[in-house]
Amino acid sequence: MYQLGIVRRNIPRADRAAVDRLAQFGSATVHEAMGRVGLMKPYLRPIYPGAHVAGTAVTVLLHPGDNWMMHVAAEQIQPGDVVVAACTADSDDGFFGDLLATSFRARGAKGLVIDGGVRDVKDLTEMDFPVFSRAISAKGTIKATLGSVNISVVCAGAVVNPGDVVIADADGVVVVPAARAQQTADAAAAREANETAKRARLAAGVLGLDMYDMRDTLAKAGLKYID
Amino acid sequence: MYQLGIVRRNIPRADRAAVDRLAQFGSATVHEAMGRVGLMKPYLRPIYPGAHVAGTAVTVLLHPGDNWMMHVAAEQIQPGDVVVAACTADSDDGFFGDLLATSFRARGAKGLVIDGGVRDVKDLTEMDFPVFSRAISAKGTIKATLGSVNISVVCAGAVVNPGDVVIADADGVVVVPAARAQQTADAAAAREANETAKRARLAAGVLGLDMYDMRDTLAKAGLKYID
Amino acid sequence: MYQLGIVRRNIPRADRAAVDRLAQFGSATVHEAMGRVGLMKPYLRPIYPGAHVAGTAVTVLLHPGDNWMMHVAAEQIQPGDVVVAACTADSDDGFFGDLLATSFRARGAKGLVIDGGVRDVKDLTEMDFPVFSRAISAKGTIKATLGSVNISVVCAGAVVNPGDVVIADADGVVVVPAARAQQTADAAAAREANETAKRARLAAGVLGLDMYDMRDTLAKAGLKYID
Amino acid sequence: MYQLGIVRRNIPRADRAAVDRLAQFGSATVHEAMGRVGLMKPYLRPIYPGAHVAGTAVTVLLHPGDNWMMHVAAEQIQPGDVVVAACTADSDDGFFGDLLATSFRARGAKGLVIDGGVRDVKDLTEMDFPVFSRAISAKGTIKATLGSVNISVVCAGAVVNPGDVVIADADGVVVVPAARAQQTADAAAAREANETAKRARLAAGVLGLDMYDMRDTLAKAGLKYID
Amino acid sequence: MYQLGIVRRNIPRADRAAVDRLAQFGSATVHEAMGRVGLMKPYLRPIYPGAHVAGTAVTVLLHPGDNWMMHVAAEQIQPGDVVVAACTADSDDGFFGDLLATSFRARGAKGLVIDGGVRDVKDLTEMDFPVFSRAISAKGTIKATLGSVNISVVCAGAVVNPGDVVIADADGVVVVPAARAQQTADAAAAREANETAKRARLAAGVLGLDMYDMRDTLAKAGLKYID
Amino acid sequence: MYQLGIVRRNIPRADRAAVDRLAQFGSATVHEAMGRVGLMKPYLRPIYPGAHVAGTAVTVLLHPGDNWMMHVAAEQIQPGDVVVAACTADSDDGFFGDLLATSFRARGAKGLVIDGGVRDVKDLTEMDFPVFSRAISAKGTIKATLGSVNISVVCAGAVVNPGDVVIADADGVVVVPAARAQQTADAAAAREANETAKRARLAAGVLGLDMYDMRDTLAKAGLKYID
């Protein structure tokens, strides 16, 4: 249950080195490395091709059509953070634009993940300020109601705690709990090493059926070949 | 982040007396009593008119098209529980039908809230087994992959911890953390008492503009009347 | 373009007798009688089976998640009115519930058409207060921003001017400009008379192909029968 | 690929006795009896509670906003048929109303499944003429473009051949190829017999975990119980 | 209410100089300059990155799946116009492609805003003919039913009168009534000047909290900081 | 009705020369050349700008969240094929990524059309491996349930038989039955030749009204010009 009207100032952040290691992997790899959990819903999309970001979460809870808390959040940003904004109800309004991006960047933010809309996407693209949003909309917002900053939020279906690692790219947005950053980076590295070898074999024409030894299992499941 | 393959057997449940008190209020009243938080997304709808339920949550994490964990959950149900089923990705398949409802009821379950589809709705209606779901679909599911039972889940956008109070009716589904059940019931009762008086005045023709003293604030905000 | 912060007090309403005549027809008949225009989008649905309403429009322009103007609108209601609420952006929040319904009814309102969400639907059903909405949601709203009352609005894709006739039933919501109420009622009556005769012939087994003389046109268009 | 401008007059229909047997089962049971295939997408919904129908398909291919072919289809209806209407593009317009229902019924039609919208739902409900549709809309349609009648169509994601059996109820719409009607009825009967026994055991408190012997498989898959 | 079968030939257009001034601003700025109204729904999207257009509206009312009126509209285009196409019901069909774009451009059109689908997007992109649409679809349309040209239409939720100014870019599509073009351009210029100064301060690390003097209001609203 | 657990090894493929000819045309042209049928729903979109593909279909039937059959399909690919993957229920999960693309390409596949989600889109873009999908999602899939390979499937609303020609580009995905490849290529060539002449006339300022002789028909339909 959300607590409203709260700003947590001192949050533990995931280990910087682990974040840097995780930043080398794509969201799909990290999602697999976590055991296929931690993914936000796929309706969150990058606002420009090639947008990608990795960092520690500063969380914001917004109300529909109200971006007041974004300004409160700005003050809590530290270099390397990614702002993660949730909303108490679905809203496609433009909660964020180039002025807030300028402010967030000045504070050291690396990007934004928002379960809402954004605007000024041409400017954001030129700034190369990566944003992952549910919508793009010129619709402005008001500043009337208290949400919270740095509480645990549900953003696009995933729980995000302040300080968690957020990895976002063209495939989606994945959240790694701060306490699991290191081991997830290890698992991702192992998975990627493994995939490199597999990729080479597949490129050489080896079939997944053989590489993964699937033929017997498929036959036992009853698969029939017809000529 | 979801832990997979876990069943928690002994969960603390919200105080029964507090649940019974909360059961007397509608979801809208309880949502307001919590300070307008705790609500699941409005795409969850009752499968028949008049369906309503209040109880303590037994949570289930499902995978799309796979209802294996529903059977695991059945064993963890105690009288007065409501099963709350989340899914790792959006799926409208029919995870639940009259056989599972029979089993759940035999264990004492009062209803189901599921971020997925259900089937056998004619039977469920005749049983008066209340279900709140995102879809109705005859599509069957498999039993192949481990989820979890009685972990913290995100269901239709709201965090549900095992043992939390769930109130569902025609207006939606609201979650009250177990630790706040008593005080939320108090706030709901106060709110409802307050509303009864207001309802009488409004029915007598008093305007909200006057009853809530809005005229000055509206004028200050710049509202203009034109004849 | 919407003017904000305006309440028009004296609006011309469609002729009562014409409204009463229109009230006898369904929305589909009236829509056809207008030449197949004037219909709101089909996502507006009645909140209970059998809900239907006809009356003159008092219009409201809301902002997402803010129902302040509903209270302002209440004062402008006269007996026989239907409140038509539009919103400056899509919002499923519960802008309206049983208290406002009590107030609206006390003022003489016959129902509500809202391009937004409503709550307390059990109470509204028991009151038999007809509402057509885009969603049902327990989510509460704030009172912070000025919209307008009795301006021309776009509700679910249709322009509604204050005083226009609104006809809503299970098939949808149709708007008849005040100045065309009488002639539309005439056209609807003519259409319905015509349909009664047709219905009898079709019930007797006459085919539409013959009753509407379609066979030649179909043949000319190239329709081929294959045995 | 659709052939346009074709009406097939003599179509083989599924065996009447088999259809009658299938009519006794729900769509979920029949879908399972077919091996979990043959289901239309769950966005098709009955237009009134309790609507259900079983019969042999007369198929229609419509164009968006054009119901001309519905009149052509009427002539091809034989007692016991269900009209299945597909559309070349998504359209929520009201292709069907009480006049066509009167005509269809006069020809012996038992109901309609349409991947489009319908209107006059109050009348259709009073007639108890079962319709399963993607939308309800008062929007009228034109008669301008040739589609086809009794060709193979894709309706809500499922292939329907003329003469196939269509079973529709609150859980959805399932299609049984004419040639498999008898064996599917057998499988459905077997399944239902089996479920009756299971239901009794579950009602008596036996767990699915035990009844289906799942405990070992779950343990092997790695399920952990925590106290 | 739409009048069908009408083409208005001589429409007053917004002042060219004012249009040229407005063309320098983005849709978000213009929307704010109008007091946060006049915006079309955000489901309208540019068909290629970088598409943007500003001009005076020639309006078209289409029927679903029918683009006949687009040809009628072509004749009414004058240099500097933007065609704005509405539809009497939602339709994703491809109403517009490279041939119509060639014709529109030959007449002086600067672009198209359509509450429907378009096709030939590769050609349109190569032509750099900006289009904002609700969908992309290869589906062809017919020419069978009269709509209108240069009547007042509702396009993606916004009223557009012929001759109004339309500003469309990556953030959305905004409509400025012809009579307000000049003053909106003034307001937009003032806003943009103001934003430049703000941007510099924010880039220098000043917080919005301080620049907008929000701290007191937030504290009064009850915001609590926790260490 | 889908047959599950079947792999057809020897499928007749459309004539290579006809496929090569069809590959020169866009999907909109081919769709028109077929008489405006054969199109998949427009929710299938290319995963990167400029993606386009033409080839012969190897079909796959998947279950939601399960990509096992993709590996079975790989073995059936021959140079020039396009894999067309359908699913028994809507699922946005990432069924396909760079490893499968590497394998498919090694077998000679030219691309993928999938009524589901894909991932690794950055890699797929760099590989220039064209994919048309309903979603992009990092969500991984399991390998648990048998579907089929090279059966007739319904993909995004269109029937695809193994060996059919699939043409996909920015406008959509169209399916040409193998037996009609040659005549469709002829019709497409005729259409395109015809369009070149039209394009030149339209570019020179000739109106479609005149070029298509529409003025009389419009007048007869009742179109009125108002000055």
Side-chain angles (χ1 to χ4, degrees):
Chain A
M1 203 204 69
Y2 291 135
Q3 261 189 291
L4 300 179
I6 297 292
V7 184
R8 198 163 290 127
R9 268 193 287 231
N10 300 317
I11 58 165
R13 285 170 168 84
D15 176 69
R16 180 60 44 197
V19 178
D20 290 346
R21 285 186 63 212
L22 281 168
Q24 302 165 31
F25 305 106
S27 62
T29 298
V30 174
H31 158 70
E32 291 284 347
M34 297 230 295
R36 293 191 184 159
V37 296
L39 202 62
M40 293 189 189
K41 301 222 173 186
Y43 63 71
L44 288 195
R45 297 297 303 146
I47 60 166
Y48 56 89
H52 64 106
V53 70
T56 39
V58 162
T59 65
V60 192
L61 181 67
L62 304 166
H63 294 286
D66 190 319
N67 77 344
W68 209 11
M69 286 302 111
M70 295 297 256
H71 293 277
V72 177
E75 190 175 29
Q76 305 310 317
I77 295 169
Q78 293 186 3
D81 284 341
V82 171
V83 178
V84 175
C87 192
T88 55
D90 289 353
S91 174
D92 287 347
D93 288 358
F95 294 88
F96 181 87
D98 82 299
L99 287 187
L100 270 169
T102 300
S103 175
F104 278 23
R105 175 163 279 173
R107 305 292 299 181
K110 300 181 72 177
L112 171 72
V113 172
I114 181 168
D115 198 354
V118 298
R119 58 186 187 172
D120 300 333
V121 298
K122 185 174 167 241
D123 298 312
L124 297 173
T125 304
E126 285 166 7
M127 290 170 68
D128 196 17
F129 189 88
V131 176
F132 295 76
S133 72
R134 67 180 286 137
I136 291 171
S137 171
K139 179 76 163 52
T141 49
I142 60 169
K143 296 172 207 327
T145 311
L146 291 190
S148 286
V149 171
N150 281 334
I151 63 167
S152 174
V153 296
V154 175
C155 181
V159 173
V160 185
N161 290 297
D164 283 352
V165 189
V166 173
I167 309 286
D169 58 21
D171 288 343
V173 186
V174 67
V175 187
V176 182
R180 294 180 51 119
Q182 195 62 55
Q183 73 189 88
T184 302
D186 292 345
R191 183 176 167 85
E192 198 147 287
N194 184 23
E195 288 211 338
T196 304
K198 284 183 189 163
R199 194 176 291 108
R201 293 184 65 195
L202 293 168
V206 176
L207 286 165
L209 288 176
D210 298 311
M211 192 171 78
Y212 300 111
D213 279 329
M214 290 174 173
R215 292 191 191 271
D216 276 6
T217 331
L218 285 162
K220 272 178 205 151
L223 192 66
K224 297 273 177 295
Y225 284 83
I226 302 173
D227 286 319
Chain B
M1 203 205 71
Y2 290 135
Q3 261 189 290
L4 300 179
I6 296 292
V7 184
R8 197 164 288 126
R9 269 193 287 230
N10 300 318
I11 57 166
R13 284 168 169 85
D15 176 69
R16 181 59 45 198
V19 177
D20 289 346
R21 285 185 63 212
L22 282 169
Q24 302 165 31
F25 304 106
S27 62
T29 298
V30 174
H31 158 71
E32 291 284 346
M34 297 231 295
R36 294 193 185 156
V37 297
L39 202 63
M40 293 189 190
K41 302 223 172 184
Y43 62 73
L44 287 195
R45 297 298 302 146
I47 60 165
Y48 56 89
H52 63 106
V53 70
T56 39
V58 162
T59 65
V60 192
L61 181 67
L62 304 166
H63 294 285
D66 190 319
N67 77 344
W68 209 11
M69 286 302 112
M70 294 296 255
H71 293 277
V72 177
E75 191 175 26
Q76 306 309 317
I77 295 169
Q78 293 186 4
D81 284 340
V82 171
V83 177
V84 176
C87 192
T88 56
D90 288 354
S91 172
D92 287 347
D93 287 358
F95 294 89
F96 181 87
D98 82 299
L99 287 187
L100 271 168
T102 300
S103 176
F104 279 23
R105 174 162 281 174
R107 307 292 297 180
K110 300 180 72 177
L112 170 71
V113 172
I114 180 167
D115 199 353
V118 299
R119 57 185 187 174
D120 300 331
V121 298
K122 186 174 167 240
D123 299 313
L124 297 173
T125 304
E126 285 166 5
M127 293 171 68
D128 196 17
F129 189 88
V131 176
F132 294 76
S133 72
R134 67 180 287 138
I136 292 171
S137 170
K139 179 77 163 53
T141 50
I142 60 169
K143 297 172 205 330
T145 310
L146 291 189
S148 287
V149 171
N150 281 335
I151 63 168
S152 173
V153 297
V154 175
C155 181
V159 173
V160 185
N161 290 297
D164 282 353
V165 189
V166 173
I167 311 286
D169 58 20
D171 288 343
V173 186
V174 67
V175 187
V176 182
R180 293 178 52 118
Q182 195 63 53
Q183 72 189 90
T184 302
D186 292 346
R191 185 178 165 85
E192 198 146 287
N194 185 23
E195 289 212 336
T196 303
K198 283 183 189 165
R199 196 176 292 108
R201 294 183 65 195
L202 293 168
V206 176
L207 286 166
L209 288 176
D210 298 311
M211 192 170 79
Y212 299 112
D213 278 329
M214 290 174 174
R215 293 191 190 270
D216 275 7
T217 331
L218 285 162
K220 272 178 205 152
L223 191 67
K224 296 272 177 296
Y225 285 83
I226 301 173
D227 287 320
Chain C
M1 201 204 73
Y2 290 136
Q3 260 189 290
L4 300 179
I6 297 293
V7 184
R8 198 165 289 128
R9 268 193 287 229
N10 300 318
I11 58 166
R13 285 170 169 84
D15 176 68
R16 179 60 44 199
V19 178
D20 289 346
R21 285 186 64 212
L22 281 168
Q24 302 165 31
F25 305 107
S27 62
T29 298
V30 175
H31 158 70
E32 290 284 345
M34 297 230 295
R36 292 193 185 155
V37 297
L39 202 63
M40 292 189 189
K41 303 224 171 183
Y43 62 73
L44 287 195
R45 297 298 302 145
I47 62 166
Y48 55 89
H52 64 107
V53 71
T56 40
V58 162
T59 65
V60 193
L61 181 67
L62 304 166
H63 293 287
D66 190 320
N67 77 343
W68 210 10
M69 286 301 112
M70 293 298 255
H71 293 278
V72 177
E75 192 176 25
Q76 306 309 317
I77 295 170
Q78 293 186 4
D81 284 341
V82 171
V83 177
V84 175
C87 193
T88 55
D90 288 353
S91 172
D92 287 347
D93 288 358
F95 294 88
F96 182 87
D98 83 299
L99 287 187
L100 271 168
T102 300
S103 176
F104 279 22
R105 174 162 281 175
R107 305 292 297 179
K110 300 180 72 178
L112 171 72
V113 172
I114 180 166
D115 199 353
V118 299
R119 57 185 187 173
D120 300 333
V121 298
K122 186 174 167 242
D123 299 312
L124 297 174
T125 304
E126 286 166 6
M127 291 170 69
D128 196 17
F129 189 88
V131 176
F132 295 75
S133 72
R134 68 180 288 139
I136 291 170
S137 171
K139 180 76 163 53
T141 50
I142 60 170
K143 298 171 206 327
T145 310
L146 291 190
S148 287
V149 171
N150 281 335
I151 62 166
S152 173
V153 297
V154 175
C155 181
V159 173
V160 185
N161 290 297
D164 283 353
V165 189
V166 173
I167 310 286
D169 58 19
D171 289 343
V173 186
V174 67
V175 187
V176 182
R180 293 179 51 117
Q182 195 62 53
Q183 72 188 89
T184 303
D186 292 345
R191 184 178 167 85
E192 198 146 287
N194 184 21
E195 289 211 338
T196 303
K198 283 183 190 163
R199 195 176 292 108
R201 293 184 65 194
L202 293 168
V206 176
L207 285 166
L209 288 176
D210 298 311
M211 193 170 78
Y212 301 111
D213 278 329
M214 290 174 172
R215 292 191 191 271
D216 276 6
T217 330
L218 285 162
K220 273 178 204 152
L223 192 67
K224 297 269 177 300
Y225 285 82
I226 301 173
D227 286 319
Chain D
M1 202 203 71
Y2 290 136
Q3 261 189 291
L4 300 178
I6 296 292
V7 184
R8 196 163 290 127
R9 268 192 288 230
N10 301 317
I11 58 167
R13 284 169 168 85
D15 176 68
R16 180 59 44 197
V19 178
D20 289 347
R21 286 185 63 212
L22 281 169
Q24 302 165 31
F25 305 108
S27 61
T29 298
V30 175
H31 158 70
E32 291 284 345
M34 299 232 294
R36 291 193 185 157
V37 297
L39 202 63
M40 293 190 189
K41 300 222 173 185
Y43 62 73
L44 287 195
R45 297 297 303 146
I47 61 165
Y48 55 89
H52 64 106
V53 70
T56 40
V58 162
T59 65
V60 193
L61 181 66
L62 303 166
H63 293 285
D66 190 321
N67 77 343
W68 210 11
M69 286 301 112
M70 294 297 255
H71 293 278
V72 177
E75 192 175 26
Q76 306 309 317
I77 294 169
Q78 294 185 3
D81 284 341
V82 172
V83 177
V84 176
C87 193
T88 55
D90 288 353
S91 173
D92 287 347
D93 287 358
F95 294 88
F96 181 87
D98 81 300
L99 287 187
L100 271 168
T102 300
S103 176
F104 279 22
R105 174 163 281 174
R107 306 292 298 179
K110 300 181 72 177
L112 171 71
V113 173
I114 180 167
D115 198 354
V118 298
R119 57 185 187 173
D120 300 332
V121 298
K122 186 173 166 242
D123 300 312
L124 297 173
T125 304
E126 285 166 7
M127 292 171 67
D128 196 17
F129 188 88
V131 176
F132 295 76
S133 73
R134 67 179 287 138
I136 291 170
S137 171
K139 179 76 163 52
T141 50
I142 60 169
K143 298 172 206 327
T145 310
L146 291 189
S148 287
V149 171
N150 280 335
I151 63 166
S152 173
V153 297
V154 175
C155 181
V159 173
V160 186
N161 291 297
D164 282 353
V165 189
V166 173
I167 310 286
D169 59 19
D171 289 343
V173 186
V174 67
V175 187
V176 182
R180 294 179 51 117
Q182 195 61 55
Q183 74 189 88
T184 303
D186 292 346
R191 184 177 166 85
E192 198 146 287
N194 185 22
E195 287 211 338
T196 304
K198 283 183 189 163
R199 194 175 293 108
R201 294 184 64 194
L202 293 168
V206 176
L207 286 165
L209 288 176
D210 298 311
M211 192 170 79
Y212 300 110
D213 279 329
M214 290 173 173
R215 292 190 191 273
D216 276 8
T217 331
L218 285 162
K220 273 178 205 152
L223 191 66
K224 296 271 176 299
Y225 285 84
I226 300 172
D227 288 319
Chain E
M1 201 204 73
Y2 290 135
Q3 261 189 290
L4 300 179
I6 296 293
V7 184
R8 197 163 289 125
R9 267 191 288 232
N10 300 318
I11 58 167
R13 284 170 169 85
D15 176 69
R16 179 61 43 199
V19 178
D20 289 347
R21 285 185 64 211
L22 280 168
Q24 303 164 32
F25 304 107
S27 61
T29 298
V30 175
H31 158 70
E32 291 283 347
M34 298 232 295
R36 291 192 186 158
V37 296
L39 202 63
M40 292 189 189
K41 301 224 172 184
Y43 61 73
L44 288 195
R45 296 298 302 148
I47 61 165
Y48 55 89
H52 64 106
V53 70
T56 40
V58 162
T59 65
V60 193
L61 181 66
L62 303 166
H63 294 285
D66 190 319
N67 78 343
W68 209 10
M69 287 301 112
M70 294 298 255
H71 293 278
V72 177
E75 192 176 24
Q76 306 308 318
I77 295 169
Q78 293 185 4
D81 284 341
V82 171
V83 177
V84 175
C87 192
T88 56
D90 288 354
S91 172
D92 287 348
D93 288 357
F95 294 87
F96 181 87
D98 82 301
L99 287 187
L100 270 169
T102 300
S103 175
F104 279 22
R105 174 163 281 174
R107 305 291 297 179
K110 300 181 72 177
L112 171 71
V113 172
I114 180 167
D115 197 354
V118 298
R119 57 184 187 173
D120 300 333
V121 299
K122 187 175 167 240
D123 298 312
L124 297 173
T125 304
E126 285 166 7
M127 291 170 69
D128 196 16
F129 188 88
V131 176
F132 295 76
S133 73
R134 68 179 287 139
I136 292 170
S137 171
K139 180 77 164 51
T141 50
I142 61 170
K143 296 171 208 328
T145 310
L146 291 190
S148 287
V149 171
N150 280 336
I151 62 166
S152 173
V153 297
V154 175
C155 182
V159 173
V160 185
N161 290 296
D164 283 353
V165 189
V166 174
I167 309 286
D169 58 20
D171 288 343
V173 186
V174 67
V175 187
V176 182
R180 293 178 51 117
Q182 195 62 54
Q183 73 188 89
T184 303
D186 292 345
R191 184 178 167 85
E192 197 146 289
N194 184 22
E195 288 212 337
T196 304
K198 284 183 189 164
R199 194 176 292 107
R201 293 183 65 195
L202 293 168
V206 176
L207 286 165
L209 288 176
D210 298 311
M211 193 170 78
Y212 300 111
D213 278 329
M214 290 175 173
R215 293 191 190 271
D216 275 8
T217 331
L218 285 163
K220 274 178 205 153
L223 191 67
K224 296 270 176 300
Y225 285 83
I226 301 172
D227 287 320
Chain F
M1 203 205 70
Y2 290 136
Q3 260 190 290
L4 300 179
I6 297 293
V7 184
R8 197 163 290 126
R9 268 191 288 229
N10 300 318
I11 58 167
R13 284 170 169 84
D15 176 68
R16 180 58 46 198
V19 177
D20 289 347
R21 285 185 64 212
L22 281 168
Q24 302 165 31
F25 305 106
S27 62
T29 298
V30 174
H31 158 70
E32 291 283 347
M34 298 231 293
R36 291 193 185 155
V37 296
L39 202 63
M40 293 189 189
K41 302 224 170 184
Y43 62 72
L44 287 195
R45 297 298 302 146
I47 60 165
Y48 55 89
H52 64 106
V53 70
T56 38
V58 162
T59 65
V60 193
L61 181 67
L62 303 166
H63 293 287
D66 190 319
N67 77 344
W68 209 9
M69 287 301 112
M70 293 297 255
H71 293 277
V72 176
E75 191 176 26
Q76 306 308 317
I77 295 169
Q78 293 186 3
D81 284 340
V82 171
V83 177
V84 175
C87 192
T88 56
D90 289 353
S91 173
D92 286 348
D93 288 357
F95 294 88
F96 181 87
D98 82 300
L99 287 187
L100 270 168
T102 300
S103 175
F104 278 22
R105 174 163 280 175
R107 306 292 296 181
K110 299 180 73 179
L112 171 72
V113 172
I114 180 166
D115 198 353
V118 298
R119 58 185 186 173
D120 300 333
V121 298
K122 187 175 167 239
D123 298 313
L124 297 173
T125 304
E126 285 167 6
M127 291 171 69
D128 196 17
F129 188 89
V131 176
F132 296 75
S133 72
R134 67 179 288 137
I136 292 170
S137 170
K139 179 77 162 52
T141 50
I142 61 169
K143 297 172 206 329
T145 310
L146 290 190
S148 287
V149 171
N150 281 336
I151 62 167
S152 173
V153 296
V154 175
C155 181
V159 172
V160 185
N161 290 297
D164 283 352
V165 189
V166 174
I167 309 286
D169 59 20
D171 288 343
V173 185
V174 66
V175 187
V176 182
R180 293 178 52 116
Q182 194 62 52
Q183 72 188 91
T184 303
D186 292 346
R191 184 178 167 84
E192 197 146 288
N194 184 21
E195 289 212 336
T196 304
K198 284 182 189 164
R199 195 176 292 107
R201 294 184 65 195
L202 293 168
V206 176
L207 286 166
L209 288 177
D210 298 310
M211 193 170 78
Y212 299 111
D213 279 328
M214 290 175 174
R215 292 190 191 271
D216 276 6
T217 330
L218 285 163
K220 274 178 205 153
L223 192 66
K224 297 269 176 299
Y225 285 83
I226 301 172
D227 286 321

